[in-house]
Amino acid sequence: MASELHDAIIIAKQERHKNLFLNYRNLNIFPVELLKDDGLQFLERLYMKRNSLTTLPDNLAQKLPNLIELYLHSNNIAFIPQAIGNLARLQSLDLSDNALQVICPEIGRLRSLRHLRLSNNQLKCLPQELGDLMGLETLDVSMNLLRTLPEQLHQCVSLQRLTADRNFLQCLPRQLCQLPDLNELFMAANCLRSLPLDLGRSMELQFVFVDNNVHLKGLPSYLYNKVIGCNGCGVSPHVSDATQLSLNFGDLNVPLPSEVKAIGTEADRVLTLEEMAMRKLDVAYSRNKKDSAFLPAFLLPSSLFELFQCPLGHCHRCSQPMFTIVYPKLFPLKNTALAGVHRRTTSQWSTTESCTDHAEEYCY
């Protein structure tokens, strides 16, 4: 593995590659080969998804000054250095599914940043300096521990999509209603008790998802000509394993997926047993991946064992791996009484977008 990594970096240097894929390499530290001598001055896109990195080097911007996209999805990164702010050309930064507890204020210096993904971390607050990112178009902070959003977000005048599902938000800053280009707002599964009365006044805002906020009793009148409803991947995250059936492989106990309960109902489609088994094994393996003997190869046929180590892709929403199929993203939408005004928009949204639209970003 080490020799393959070294060869890949050497070839990238010699051939002046603009894209470098170092996904699934079991990396614990940032490869020193990337930082030697002058580094990779010509590199624009670096993919390091699903490794075991814990931090980033302080001289990253010095050695990789032309980075436009940096994908660090699914590592163990606990903090990012202040020097991250020196990546002047960076347009897309993905730190989803890590161990971040805080985001340094220097992130506000990334004035070229357009896409920032921080989902599935342990963030309790966001720096007010996010408001300095006036070119930011998408921000995903779902599945964290946030109780508030910074009021300064209203300064992100280019923001089109804000995703903050599954946090502990009790209210939204009224300043968010001032965002001129905001088109999609995702606030499902929070603790919202009310919404700003002028939310939805902007004609640009078309999609609002505030389902699973049990204390939210009503919507502002401006939202009644928008598309509102549910979002997600169709699999409830709150189903207790204790209530599920399970399979036993010797000492290994693997609960069956919740989809099994949907057989014979119209609520959910049922995936193939092969796909469901692979996903549940992946969950069990993730919980015990420090134990190298946890998943012996003989539990799976060789073809599936190879696929298990490198899935076909991952859902861009919840990061759930997809092993045997990549299926369209079909989220149920609940239209309001006046949704006929948006019938064409709703149809385009629900039938054309799929997980494969993001293949370049997540399916390597």
Side-chain angles (χ1 to χ4, degrees), residues 85-358:
N86 295 329
L87 288 168
R89 299 190 61 199
L90 196 65
Q91 297 181 15
S92 184
L93 175 61
D94 189 347
L95 286 162
S96 301
D97 202 5
N98 276 280
L100 293 171
Q101 297 185 24
V102 64
I103 299 295
C104 60
E106 285 73 16
I107 200 168
R109 292 163 49 195
L110 299 174
R111 301 303 171 86
S112 298
L113 200 63
R114 296 170 53 197
H115 308 286
L116 177 60
R117 297 179 177 89
L118 301 170
S119 64
N120 200 16
N121 279 282
Q122 301 170 31
L123 299 173
K124 294 182 179 180
C125 63
L126 298 173
Q128 62 183 14
E129 285 78 7
L130 283 179
D132 296 334
L133 303 176
M134 299 185 65
L136 194 66
E137 298 176 4
T138 61
L139 174 62
D140 187 351
V141 293
S142 57
M143 293 182 282
N144 277 284
L145 306 174
L146 300 174
R147 295 185 178 276
T148 60
L149 295 175
E151 295 179 358
Q152 291 78 2
L153 278 181
H154 80 278
Q155 299 172 9
C156 299
V157 293
S158 300
L159 194 62
Q160 300 173 18
R161 181 186 180 108
L162 174 58
T163 305
D165 296 334
R166 294 175 62 185
N167 279 281
F168 298 96
L169 300 174
Q170 297 184 10
C171 62
L172 299 182
R174 187 178 181 185
Q175 291 85 342
L176 292 183
C177 301
Q178 302 173 19
L179 290 170
D181 293 334
L182 187 63
N183 179 257
E184 303 171 41
L185 180 63
F186 298 84
M187 295 286 167
N190 275 281
C191 303
L192 294 176
R193 294 180 175 273
S194 63
L195 296 172
L197 292 181
D198 48 353
L199 182 66
R201 188 172 186 175
S202 168
M203 294 297 294
E204 289 298 320
L205 184 61
Q206 293 296 312
F207 302 94
V208 179
F209 299 88
V210 289
D211 47 300
N212 294 325
N213 283 277
V214 295
H215 302 295
L216 188 61
K217 304 302 182 184
L219 299 175
S221 59
Y222 286 113
L223 293 184
Y224 279 91
N225 63 346
K226 310 294 182 180
V227 177
I228 62 175
C230 302
N231 65 330
C233 299
V235 181
S236 172
H238 305 296
V239 178
S240 170
D241 285 345
T243 63
Q244 298 180 6
L245 299 174
S246 61
L247 297 175
N248 292 300
F249 298 93
D251 295 331
L252 175 62
N253 182 275
V254 180
L256 287 175
S258 56
E259 295 97 324
V260 170
K261 294 186 176 182
I263 294 178
T265 73
E266 298 180 358
D268 296 292
R269 84 170 100 186
V270 180
L271 302 174
T272 65
L273 182 59
E274 183 179 61
E275 177 72 14
M276 290 191 291
M278 293 280 281
R279 291 186 184 183
K280 295 306 292 185
L281 280 173
D282 179 75
V283 172
Y285 176 69
S286 298
R287 294 173 180 172
N288 299 271
K289 59 184 177 181
K290 293 182 180 180
D291 182 1
S292 60
F294 176 77
L295 190 68
F298 64 80
L299 285 180
L300 293 171
S302 58
S303 58
L304 288 183
F305 187 71
E306 293 175 1
L307 189 60
F308 180 83
Q309 294 176 306
C310 186
L312 293 178
H314 293 80
C315 175
H316 75 285
R317 262 290 167 68
C318 70
S319 188
Q320 182 170 243
M322 296 176 286
F323 293 98
T324 62
I325 58 172
V326 178
Y327 51 85
K329 187 178 69 178
L330 299 175
F331 301 145
L333 292 177
K334 178 182 177 182
N335 296 339
T336 62
L338 299 179
V341 177
H342 300 278
R343 185 174 294 114
R344 180 176 60 84
T345 304
T346 305
S347 176
Q348 290 176 345
W349 170 263
S350 62
T351 60
T352 62
E353 188 174 0
S354 71
C355 286
T356 54
D357 292 338
H358 302 265

